[in-house]
Amino acid sequence: MPDELHLNAEIRDMLMDCGLFDSLQPGDFATAAGYFSLASIEQGQTIFHEGDAGTFMCILQHGVVSVRKTDSHGAQVEIANLRKGRTFGEMAVLDGERRSATCVAATPCQLLTLGKDSLDKMLNEAPRIGARIIRVLAVTLSKRLRMHDGQRLA
């Protein structure tokens, strides 16, 4: 049990430090931490493939993640490199659709992960906290879409 408490405290601290969830109350972080997991990914390891079912999302704690899309010739093309604090995989968790890209660890990575089942459980058990997390994810996606739309117009 002490290891579990230590891990929960470590995840809580990571959630507090990532800057995404500033709308949560200080006590909410400990509750939210119980729904997240920590994963270490080796360099070169695929985190998920384009077209996979979206069963979890990630917050990058350490390392670099390469985001790749399959082009019209079937080749993998890198479209972005993600760094500390970035979320990815949240679209599929929120909308239930398949993964829109492949994500590969470009360096050794440490990820906070939130499974779709854990998010659903949080919404049932701690609905206020779950709703705030979903709102943060929606705002993050909205900002990303607006930035992308601005780049397309430029």
Side-chain angles (χ1 to χ4, degrees), residues 53-122:
T55 57
F56 65 95
M57 59 156 284
C58 305
I59 303 170
L60 182 56
Q61 290 300 302
H62 300 291
V64 177
V65 171
S66 171
V67 181
R68 303 168 183 178
K69 294 271 302 171
T70 305
D71 69 12
S72 59
H73 304 292
Q76 290 273 309
V77 177
E78 184 174 80
I79 60 169
N81 277 308
L82 308 179
R83 300 188 188 287
K84 180 179 167 69
R86 282 293 303 268
T87 61
F88 61 99
E90 69 277 50
M91 285 185 352
V93 168
L94 292 174
D95 67 14
E97 297 292 323
R98 301 243 168 230
R99 299 286 188 191
S100 62
T102 296
C103 287
V104 177
T107 66
C109 294
Q110 186 173 44
L111 308 173
L112 277 175
T113 63
L114 178 63
K116 185 172 182 2
D117 292 347
S118 293
L119 180 59
D120 291 343
K121 188 175 179 189
M122 186 188 325

